[in-house]
Every structure is written in C-alpha cells, then in structure tokens.
C-alpha cells in the first residue's frame, strides 16, 4: 500500500515524542538473540496486550484500506477460526483482510491476524492459504510478539506504538524508502523487535504444521508455499515478498518443515475449495488479474466467473440454478441477489424461503445475513431488514458491520436513538472506545424514553462493557 507523505510525517512526529534515551538503550542486535524461554515469559501482561490490540485494530481501520468484500472477509474468518479451534487455548483471535497487493500476512498484538489480498492471489491452493494462517496463529499462541516486543522500554503513547507496529507489520510498497528510517531510531528498534527470530519461525512452522494437519489440511503446504516464495525472491531480489521480511526463511527451515510434515500420518484431506475458488475469482476481478490456481475451474466456478464479470448485468440461467440448488456455499445465492431486477410475488416467496434455509445452514455467515437484509431493504421494507438483522445478529462472531447496517436503516426511519446506539455497538467491537462513548451519549440524549426495549438494550450494553466505558485507556 501507498502511504502518503503526510502520514509518514505524522508517524515520525509521534515516534519523536517517545523517550529517545530508552529507545537507544536497546541494542538492535537483541533481535538476533536466540530466545528459548517458555511462552509464559512475556514482556507485558495480558491486560496491556488487550489495550495494545485494541489500539492496533483502531490504527488498522484508520490508516489502512481494509478489504470491504463481505464474502472474502467471511471466508478468511471461517478458515481462520476453523484452524484456531485446534489450538486448545482461550486466546482471542480476530482476522482482518487488508486491501494490499503485497504478499503478506502478520500476527499483531492480542491475536489480531491480518491477511493481505496479495497473499490470497499468490496462494495456489486452499491448503497453502490455511498454512500461512496456521503459521500466524502459532506466532500468537507462542506469544512471540509479546516475547520480543519490549513494551516497557518502548513505553510511550499506546496509540502511537500501535501505529508504528502496524506500519512495520503491514509494510509498504517501496521498502528502499525505509519506513523504519522515516520513523527514526524508535521505528528501527521496533522493526528489529518485530522481526521473528529463526527460532520463532521454526516454532511457528512446527506448531502450525500440526494445526494444519488437525484441521484437515495438507501439512506439506507450509513448506511448499514458503519454498515457492523464497525461490521466486532469490531469482528477483527486488521483489522480496513482504512476508519474508518479518518471517525470515532459510534452506534449513524449509527442510525441517518438510520433515515434520512427512512424519504426520496421512489423513483424509477435507476441503471446501469451492469457496476458495470463488474468493480467488473475486479478488482477481478486483485487481483485473488472472485467477492463479493449481487446478482448472469447475463448471459451477466458471458459471460464477462469467456471472461476476462486469458485462453480466442480469442473472444467467446457470447462476439462477446454483443460487437455489447449491448448498456448499451461500455465495452463488448472494451473487444472484445482487443482480436481480423486477420480481414477481412468486419469485419473492421463493427467495425468502431460500434465504431462511441458507441462514439455518450458515447461521454465522455475516455476509449472507447482510446480503439478505439489503435485498429486503430494497425490495420489501426497511423494517423487515431491521427485523432479520436484529433476530440473527447474536449468532455472529463479528458484528460490527451488521451494527453499522442497522444504524443506517434506523437512520432512514428517522429513529436516531436507535441509530446512535448501533453506532456505539459497532465502534466498541473495533476498539474505538472514545467514539463508542460519544454515540452512546448521543443515543441517550435522543428521545427514546417511550421505547422501553431500547432503554433495556442500552442498560445491558453499558453493564456488559462497564470496564471499557468507564475506565480511561492508557493514553499518556
Ligand atoms: Zn513467521
């Protein structure tokens, strides 16, 4: 991604405010020391990590382009949580897709994992994508960031630290300009600390390969993908993929990954590569590039590719059929909903029936819920859209976009107390406490006294987030 000069300048200034003496006291070589300590020996506690994680998510939303496509987010999150489900920890994981063509993925503070769209384009199989996610998840479970990043010695404004961490992890298009140099000594220091050591890489590979295997993916995919990247970058050293800057690779590391995969029992590999192919088609279309996969597209996937093109204004016969008959993914149905025009009463009934069936089949699919609500708002009424969102929202792991949509729908109905309330909810999920507080106050100020249900909702929201809403975040 391209950072504008003004943004650099801001980061540079923020970094300058941090105690420079402390920054220079840390030898840059510290990052190269082997670290074999136990995962419990972390440099800061869980509550600091949570605060840093919230500030990190806020800086992702403010400073970077998050990939908006709902199906892609849903897919990456489903895949991520499916793998994270095998870690046996109570760690918190959240997955974000960054709209950036560099090949990169990262594990930020408090289990925030980012996947660049460039990575989705670069992997050739779902197993390779799963491998990178499993690798990042393992950096989280092994507390690699909190074992390397010396929070105490980088002590400063939490938000500016989070901004620098994001800048280093997400990287930039032109590495020669040197993001870290722009940020001064402090930035270089953090950059050195965030670069994983060989030992951490080995650990993330070995645990990640086990996770991959447990989640039903091909354990060889880790070595395959990193090996291919490393080969490509040795041919063209100007195009070192971003991911290799924070995850150093070596022949030894690849051989060890291959060995480890070979030791695991052969397992029936379970895949849903239909969604993978559809997401590849979506991201490729977004950048007008080719869909790179290790296999040809199936008949259904080709139907989707054609229906999804700019020229396909109306639904094709094959898409209509897939929308109502294919139960492997709701994406065909969503594509169909986005393309329909005039509808008869009979067609509407058919759509409602199908949507409810799919919502039962995919109860945690935010993309399906919002897609159907948008259809209701356009072809039925806003009230029906609100009703389905409110009924189903509690099933979802990620609710911020659902809350934003509810806020818009209430706002169209001129119910501002409700609209503000849902904005408060949307903001608390993405860590923006100041805004959440602001909107909550606005909601209470608006006239809602007659609405007992809303007062009860506000009261329970305040109770649930009492600690966050009352306490001031460490912003010194
Ligand atoms: Zn790594």
């Amino acid at each position: 991604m391209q950072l504008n000069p003004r943004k650099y300048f801001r980061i540079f200034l923020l970094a300058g405010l941090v105690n420079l003496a402390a920054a220079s006291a840390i030898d840059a070589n510290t990052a190269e020391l082997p670290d074999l300590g136990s995962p419990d020996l972390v440099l800061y506690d869980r509550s600091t990590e949570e605060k840093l994680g919230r500030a990190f998510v806020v800086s992702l939303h403010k400073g970077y382009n998050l990939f908006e496509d709902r199906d892609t987010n849903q897919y990456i999150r489903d895949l991520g949580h499916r793998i994270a489900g095998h870690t046996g920890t109570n760690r918190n994981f959240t997955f974000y897709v960054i709209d950036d063509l560099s090949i990169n993925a990262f594990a930020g503070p408090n289990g925030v994992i980012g996947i660049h769209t460039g990575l989705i384009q670069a992997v050739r199989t779902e197993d390779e994508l799963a491998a990178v996610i499993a690798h990042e998840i393992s950096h989280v479970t092994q507390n690699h960031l909190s074992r390397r990043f010396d929070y105490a010695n980088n002590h400063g404004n939490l938000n500016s630290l989070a901004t620098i961490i994001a800048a280093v992890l997400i990287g930039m298009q032109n590495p020669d300009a040197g993001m870290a140099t722009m940020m001064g000594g402090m930035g270089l220091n953090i950059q050195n600390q965030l670069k994983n050591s060989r030992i951490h890489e080995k650990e993330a590979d070995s645990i990640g390969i086990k996770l991959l295997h447990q989640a039903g993916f091909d354990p060889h995919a880790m070595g395959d993908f990193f090996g291919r990247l490393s080969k490509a970058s040795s041919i063209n050293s100007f195009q070192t993929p971003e991911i290799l800057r924070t995850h150093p690779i070596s022949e030894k590391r690849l051989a060890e990954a291959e060995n480890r995969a070979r030791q695991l029992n052969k397992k029936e590999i379970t895949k849903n590569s239909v969604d993978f192919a559809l997401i590849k088609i979506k991201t490729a279309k977004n950048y007008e590039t080719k869909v790179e996969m290790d296999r040809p597209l199936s008949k259904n996937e080709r139907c989707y590719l054609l229906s999804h093109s700019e020229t396909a204004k109306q639904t094709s016969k094959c898409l209509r059929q897939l929308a109502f008959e294919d139960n492997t993914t709701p994406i065909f149905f969503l594509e169909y909903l986005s393309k329909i025009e005039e509808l008869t009463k009979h067609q509407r009934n058919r759509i409602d029936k199908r949507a409810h069936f799919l919502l039962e089949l995919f109860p945690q699919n935010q993309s399906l819920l919002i897609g159907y609500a948008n259809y209701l708002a356009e072809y039925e009424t806003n009230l029906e859209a609100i009703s389905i969102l409110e009924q189903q929202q509690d099933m979802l792991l990620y609710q911020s976009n659902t809350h934003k949509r509810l806020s818009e729908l209430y706002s169209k109905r001129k119910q501002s107390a409700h609209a503000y309330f849902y904005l408060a909810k949307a903001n608390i999920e993405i860590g923006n406490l100041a805004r959440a507080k602001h909107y909550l106050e606005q909601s209470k100020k608006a006239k809602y006294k007659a609405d007992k249900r809303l007062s009860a909702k506000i009261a329970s929201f305040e109770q649930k987030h009492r600690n966050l809403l009352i306490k001031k975040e460490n912003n010194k």
Side-chain angles (χ1 to χ4, degrees):
M1 56 141 263
Q2 204 92 47
L3 276 173
N4 65 37
R6 205 184 290 157
K7 217 175 264 167
Y8 283 138
F9 187 60
R10 195 168 53 119
I11 291 166
F12 179 64
L13 275 182
L14 287 172
L17 295 174
V18 179
N19 186 337
L20 284 172
S24 58
I26 308 164
D27 189 339
N29 291 328
T30 333
E32 297 304 321
L33 287 178
D35 179 359
L36 286 162
S38 117
D40 304 326
L41 287 176
V42 296
L43 294 163
Y44 49 90
D45 59 22
R46 194 51 77 79
S47 110
T48 306
E49 179 165 14
E50 280 172 14
K51 282 183 203 155
L52 197 55
R54 265 196 299 279
F56 183 75
V57 170
V58 172
S59 71
L60 285 190
H61 281 88
K62 278 189 186 159
Y64 300 90
N65 293 328
L66 296 178
F67 196 56
E68 299 274 339
D69 181 68
R70 289 193 294 269
D71 292 328
T72 306
N73 280 286
Q74 186 69 43
Y75 171 72
I76 291 292
R77 288 167 172 177
D78 285 346
L79 188 60
H81 289 286
R82 174 177 160 195
I83 301 165
H86 291 273
T87 55
T89 63
N90 57 355
R91 291 292 309 234
N92 183 45
F93 287 98
T94 39
F95 298 88
Y96 286 93
V97 183
I98 316 290
D99 189 355
D100 185 333
L101 273 176
S102 61
I103 302 172
N104 195 17
F106 57 85
N110 202 30
V112 178
I113 290 176
I115 304 294
H116 285 210
T117 40
L119 182 89
I120 300 174
Q121 293 224 302
V123 293
R124 294 174 61 82
T125 62
E126 184 167 54
D127 302 84
E128 288 185 355
L129 183 55
V132 176
I133 295 177
H135 180 98
E136 299 302 336
I137 286 175
S138 307
H139 278 309
V140 175
T141 61
Q142 300 314 107
N143 291 313
H144 286 163
L145 186 76
S146 47
R147 283 156 77 190
R148 305 202 69 75
F149 179 64
D150 195 345
Y151 179 75
N153 276 313
N154 284 320
H155 211 18
N157 181 304
L158 197 81
N159 295 332
S160 58
L161 281 182
T163 308
I164 299 173
I165 294 176
V168 172
L169 291 178
I170 293 172
M172 52 183 299
Q173 257 172 3
N174 178 7
D176 294 337
M179 173 51 116
T181 319
M182 298 296 290
M183 295 185 297
M186 176 73 179
L188 277 173
N189 229 324
I190 292 180
Q191 188 167 54
N192 276 327
Q193 289 177 40
L194 294 184
K195 191 171 160 190
N196 285 293
S197 68
R198 294 216 172 95
I199 287 159
H200 285 176
E201 282 310 301
K202 188 176 156 178
E203 203 171 53
D205 281 349
S206 112
I207 290 166
I209 286 169
K210 230 191 284 166
L211 282 177
L212 262 187
H213 185 245
Q214 285 167 335
F217 294 100
D218 179 5
H220 295 275
M222 182 102 61
D224 289 352
F225 181 65
F226 281 111
R228 213 172 63 238
L229 277 193
S230 151
K231 219 180 192 171
S233 73
S234 68
I235 295 167
N236 185 351
S237 61
F238 291 107
Q239 286 184 347
T240 299
E242 205 59 49
I243 195 169
L244 298 187
R245 295 184 199 283
T246 44
H247 305 259
I249 211 157
S250 65
E251 284 296 324
K252 194 167 164 239
R253 182 185 153 197
L254 291 174
E256 280 171 345
E258 189 45 45
N259 255 335
R260 212 168 296 275
R262 218 177 297 136
Q263 283 161 17
L264 294 167
N265 301 330
K266 274 241 155 64
K267 200 172 169 181
E268 191 63 37
I269 291 172
T270 49
K271 302 184 179 213
N272 173 17
S273 53
V274 178
D275 274 314
F276 173 73
L278 303 187
I279 294 312
K280 290 278 285 186
I281 292 170
K282 279 201 148 187
T283 46
K285 185 201 155 196
N286 208 55
Y287 304 108
E288 294 174 7
T289 50
K290 265 195 356 216
V291 184
E292 300 267 10
M293 290 216 294
D294 72 330
R295 61 168 174 86
L297 293 176
S298 71
K299 196 175 115 217
N300 293 354
E301 291 157 1
R302 277 204 313 276
C303 165
Y304 181 78
L305 176 69
L306 293 174
S307 310
H308 196 64
S309 70
E310 282 301 329
T311 45
K313 288 269 184 287
Q314 284 177 335
T315 57
S316 60
K317 196 175 156 211
C318 67
L319 183 69
R320 263 196 315 272
Q321 200 173 351
L322 286 168
F324 290 92
E325 286 170 14
D326 184 290
N327 292 335
T328 56
T329 172
I331 295 180
F332 295 123
F333 179 67
L334 288 167
E335 184 70 24
Y336 168 79
L337 283 190
S338 73
K339 290 227 150 64
I340 46 173
E341 283 170 3
E342 296 289 297
L343 283 173
T344 64
K345 180 99 181 109
H346 169 73
Q347 282 168 319
R348 288 182 187 184
N349 289 340
R350 200 166 164 239
I351 287 173
D352 287 330
K353 226 174 119 192
R354 179 67 180 162
H356 284 274
F357 173 79
L358 288 173
L359 280 171
E360 259 180 55
L361 210 53
F362 305 99
Q364 296 195 325
N365 195 302
Q366 180 167 241
S367 180
L368 173 62
L369 180 58
I370 296 182
Y372 179 47
N374 288 349
Y375 158 82
L376 288 174
E378 194 168 341
Y379 293 94
E380 306 288 340
T381 65
N382 284 345
L383 204 57
E384 279 179 76
I386 286 174
S387 155
I388 194 85
L389 288 171
E390 286 189 334
Q391 272 169 41
Q392 301 274 338
Q393 59 173 332
D394 290 337
M395 311 285 272
L396 305 175
L397 275 180
Y398 296 78
Q399 300 187 348
S400 174
N401 284 335
T402 321
H403 293 149
K404 261 191 236 152
R405 192 70 188 106
L406 274 165
S407 175
E408 287 162 10
L409 290 164
Y410 271 117
S411 164
K412 278 186 188 149
R413 290 175 54 82
K414 309 237 180 306
Q415 290 178 269
S416 55
H418 288 77
Y420 283 130
F421 172 64
Y422 278 111
L423 276 183
K425 288 189 94 168
N427 275 286
I428 206 133
E429 181 181 317
I430 56 170
N432 205 330
L433 304 185
R435 280 206 190 163
K437 277 183 217 173
H438 169 77
Y439 289 126
L440 191 64
E441 285 313 310
Q442 295 293 105
S443 174
K444 284 156 107 179
K445 265 191 226 156
K447 286 181 189 153
Y448 71 92
K449 290 190 184 77
D451 191 334
K452 284 207 177 107
R453 274 182 56 220
L454 182 63
S455 338
K457 277 186 193 168
I458 290 181
S460 106
F461 176 77
E462 281 185 312
Q463 180 61 28
K464 188 177 168 197
H465 300 288
R466 230 172 83 220
N467 288 343
L468 294 180
L469 292 168
I470 296 169
K471 261 200 269 166
K472 235 181 114 58
E473 201 84 312
N474 171 15
N475 275 343
K476 49 184 163 160

PDB file of all heavy atoms in Angstrom, residues 135-136 139 196 200-201 204-205 226 246-248 253, ligand 1:
ATOM      1  N   HIS A 135       0.430 -20.686  10.494  1.00  0.00           N
ATOM      2  CA  HIS A 135       1.739 -20.170  10.911  1.00  0.00           C
ATOM      3  C   HIS A 135       1.553 -18.909  11.771  1.00  0.00           C
ATOM      4  O   HIS A 135       2.132 -18.794  12.845  1.00  0.00           O
ATOM      5  CB  HIS A 135       2.563 -19.879   9.654  1.00  0.00           C
ATOM      6  CG  HIS A 135       3.926 -19.336   9.914  1.00  0.00           C
ATOM      7  ND1 HIS A 135       5.053 -20.139   9.920  1.00  0.00           N
ATOM      8  CD2 HIS A 135       4.355 -18.089  10.187  1.00  0.00           C
ATOM      9  CE1 HIS A 135       6.122 -19.383  10.182  1.00  0.00           C
ATOM     10  NE2 HIS A 135       5.719 -18.124  10.342  1.00  0.00           N
ATOM     11  N   GLU A 136       0.705 -17.993  11.315  1.00  0.00           N
ATOM     12  CA  GLU A 136       0.472 -16.751  12.076  1.00  0.00           C
ATOM     13  C   GLU A 136      -0.219 -17.059  13.411  1.00  0.00           C
ATOM     14  O   GLU A 136       0.118 -16.470  14.434  1.00  0.00           O
ATOM     15  CB  GLU A 136      -0.377 -15.764  11.266  1.00  0.00           C
ATOM     16  CG  GLU A 136       0.240 -15.313   9.939  1.00  0.00           C
ATOM     17  CD  GLU A 136       1.608 -14.653  10.088  1.00  0.00           C
ATOM     18  OE1 GLU A 136       1.909 -14.121  11.170  1.00  0.00           O
ATOM     19  OE2 GLU A 136       2.387 -14.705   9.119  1.00  0.00           O
ATOM     20  N   HIS A 139       2.319 -18.053  15.892  1.00  0.00           N
ATOM     21  CA  HIS A 139       3.065 -16.926  16.479  1.00  0.00           C
ATOM     22  C   HIS A 139       2.268 -16.351  17.663  1.00  0.00           C
ATOM     23  O   HIS A 139       2.840 -15.912  18.649  1.00  0.00           O
ATOM     24  CB  HIS A 139       3.280 -15.810  15.447  1.00  0.00           C
ATOM     25  CG  HIS A 139       4.450 -16.060  14.523  1.00  0.00           C
ATOM     26  ND1 HIS A 139       5.711 -16.390  14.978  1.00  0.00           N
ATOM     27  CD2 HIS A 139       4.554 -15.994  13.164  1.00  0.00           C
ATOM     28  CE1 HIS A 139       6.537 -16.529  13.937  1.00  0.00           C
ATOM     29  NE2 HIS A 139       5.852 -16.304  12.824  1.00  0.00           N
ATOM     30  N   ASN A 196      10.705 -11.762  13.380  1.00  0.00           N
ATOM     31  CA  ASN A 196      10.790 -13.008  14.128  1.00  0.00           C
ATOM     32  C   ASN A 196      12.173 -13.628  14.005  1.00  0.00           C
ATOM     33  O   ASN A 196      12.788 -13.587  12.956  1.00  0.00           O
ATOM     34  CB  ASN A 196       9.741 -13.991  13.600  1.00  0.00           C
ATOM     35  CG  ASN A 196       8.350 -13.629  14.062  1.00  0.00           C
ATOM     36  OD1 ASN A 196       8.050 -13.712  15.242  1.00  0.00           O
ATOM     37  ND2 ASN A 196       7.510 -13.192  13.135  1.00  0.00           N
ATOM     38  N   HIS A 200      11.875 -18.586  16.479  1.00  0.00           N
ATOM     39  CA  HIS A 200      10.428 -18.386  16.487  1.00  0.00           C
ATOM     40  C   HIS A 200       9.803 -18.886  15.194  1.00  0.00           C
ATOM     41  O   HIS A 200       8.695 -19.425  15.188  1.00  0.00           O
ATOM     42  CB  HIS A 200      10.090 -16.911  16.720  1.00  0.00           C
ATOM     43  CG  HIS A 200      10.282 -16.499  18.148  1.00  0.00           C
ATOM     44  ND1 HIS A 200      10.131 -15.211  18.587  1.00  0.00           N
ATOM     45  CD2 HIS A 200      10.608 -17.225  19.240  1.00  0.00           C
ATOM     46  CE1 HIS A 200      10.372 -15.165  19.891  1.00  0.00           C
ATOM     47  NE2 HIS A 200      10.670 -16.376  20.300  1.00  0.00           N
ATOM     48  N   GLU A 201      10.515 -18.700  14.080  1.00  0.00           N
ATOM     49  CA  GLU A 201       9.990 -19.199  12.797  1.00  0.00           C
ATOM     50  C   GLU A 201       9.842 -20.714  12.820  1.00  0.00           C
ATOM     51  O   GLU A 201       8.843 -21.268  12.379  1.00  0.00           O
ATOM     52  CB  GLU A 201      10.910 -18.792  11.648  1.00  0.00           C
ATOM     53  CG  GLU A 201      10.754 -17.356  11.205  1.00  0.00           C
ATOM     54  CD  GLU A 201       9.315 -16.975  10.961  1.00  0.00           C
ATOM     55  OE1 GLU A 201       8.666 -17.603  10.116  1.00  0.00           O
ATOM     56  OE2 GLU A 201       8.825 -16.063  11.631  1.00  0.00           O
ATOM     57  N   ALA A 204       6.897 -21.608  14.957  1.00  0.00           N
ATOM     58  CA  ALA A 204       5.609 -21.319  14.289  1.00  0.00           C
ATOM     59  C   ALA A 204       5.342 -22.327  13.171  1.00  0.00           C
ATOM     60  O   ALA A 204       4.203 -22.741  12.960  1.00  0.00           O
ATOM     61  CB  ALA A 204       5.593 -19.903  13.739  1.00  0.00           C
ATOM     62  N   ASP A 205       6.411 -22.758  12.463  1.00  0.00           N
ATOM     63  CA  ASP A 205       6.239 -23.788  11.428  1.00  0.00           C
ATOM     64  C   ASP A 205       5.786 -25.086  12.073  1.00  0.00           C
ATOM     65  O   ASP A 205       4.823 -25.705  11.633  1.00  0.00           O
ATOM     66  CB  ASP A 205       7.573 -24.061  10.706  1.00  0.00           C
ATOM     67  CG  ASP A 205       7.887 -23.005   9.661  1.00  0.00           C
ATOM     68  OD1 ASP A 205       6.996 -22.189   9.355  1.00  0.00           O
ATOM     69  OD2 ASP A 205       9.034 -22.995   9.165  1.00  0.00           O
ATOM     70  N   PHE A 226       6.092 -21.447   1.337  1.00  0.00           N
ATOM     71  CA  PHE A 226       7.259 -20.628   1.684  1.00  0.00           C
ATOM     72  C   PHE A 226       8.439 -20.927   0.757  1.00  0.00           C
ATOM     73  O   PHE A 226       9.210 -20.042   0.411  1.00  0.00           O
ATOM     74  CB  PHE A 226       7.640 -20.807   3.159  1.00  0.00           C
ATOM     75  CG  PHE A 226       6.762 -20.006   4.096  1.00  0.00           C
ATOM     76  CD1 PHE A 226       5.865 -20.625   4.956  1.00  0.00           C
ATOM     77  CD2 PHE A 226       6.836 -18.617   4.116  1.00  0.00           C
ATOM     78  CE1 PHE A 226       5.047 -19.889   5.816  1.00  0.00           C
ATOM     79  CE2 PHE A 226       6.032 -17.863   4.967  1.00  0.00           C
ATOM     80  CZ  PHE A 226       5.136 -18.505   5.821  1.00  0.00           C
ATOM     81  N   THR A 246       9.465 -10.093   7.723  1.00  0.00           N
ATOM     82  CA  THR A 246       9.251 -10.342   9.154  1.00  0.00           C
ATOM     83  C   THR A 246       9.317 -11.831   9.491  1.00  0.00           C
ATOM     84  O   THR A 246       9.337 -12.210  10.648  1.00  0.00           O
ATOM     85  CB  THR A 246       7.892  -9.772   9.629  1.00  0.00           C
ATOM     86  OG1 THR A 246       6.916 -10.103   8.663  1.00  0.00           O
ATOM     87  CG2 THR A 246       7.960  -8.264   9.813  1.00  0.00           C
ATOM     88  N   HIS A 247       9.312 -12.693   8.442  1.00  0.00           N
ATOM     89  CA  HIS A 247       9.392 -14.142   8.690  1.00  0.00           C
ATOM     90  C   HIS A 247      10.581 -14.689   7.898  1.00  0.00           C
ATOM     91  O   HIS A 247      10.390 -15.236   6.803  1.00  0.00           O
ATOM     92  CB  HIS A 247       8.127 -14.865   8.237  1.00  0.00           C
ATOM     93  CG  HIS A 247       6.854 -14.343   8.833  1.00  0.00           C
ATOM     94  ND1 HIS A 247       6.220 -14.965   9.879  1.00  0.00           N
ATOM     95  CD2 HIS A 247       6.104 -13.264   8.539  1.00  0.00           C
ATOM     96  CE1 HIS A 247       5.119 -14.289  10.192  1.00  0.00           C
ATOM     97  NE2 HIS A 247       5.030 -13.249   9.383  1.00  0.00           N
ATOM     98  N   PRO A 248      11.809 -14.510   8.417  1.00  0.00           N
ATOM     99  CA  PRO A 248      12.981 -14.913   7.628  1.00  0.00           C
ATOM    100  C   PRO A 248      12.981 -16.413   7.309  1.00  0.00           C
ATOM    101  O   PRO A 248      12.541 -17.230   8.105  1.00  0.00           O
ATOM    102  CB  PRO A 248      14.156 -14.562   8.541  1.00  0.00           C
ATOM    103  CG  PRO A 248      13.581 -14.396   9.899  1.00  0.00           C
ATOM    104  CD  PRO A 248      12.162 -13.994   9.731  1.00  0.00           C
ATOM    105  N   ARG A 253      15.180 -24.164   7.346  1.00  0.00           N
ATOM    106  CA  ARG A 253      13.807 -24.049   7.823  1.00  0.00           C
ATOM    107  C   ARG A 253      12.862 -24.841   6.911  1.00  0.00           C
ATOM    108  O   ARG A 253      11.973 -25.551   7.378  1.00  0.00           O
ATOM    109  CB  ARG A 253      13.406 -22.565   7.844  1.00  0.00           C
ATOM    110  CG  ARG A 253      12.017 -22.344   8.361  1.00  0.00           C
ATOM    111  CD  ARG A 253      11.568 -20.902   8.283  1.00  0.00           C
ATOM    112  NE  ARG A 253      10.113 -20.896   8.164  1.00  0.00           N
ATOM    113  CZ  ARG A 253       9.383 -19.874   7.767  1.00  0.00           C
ATOM    114  NH1 ARG A 253       9.971 -18.732   7.444  1.00  0.00           N
ATOM    115  NH2 ARG A 253       8.080 -19.971   7.680  1.00  0.00           N
TER     116      ARG A 253
HETATM  117 ZN1  LIG B   1       6.662 -16.398  10.942  1.00  0.00          ZN
END
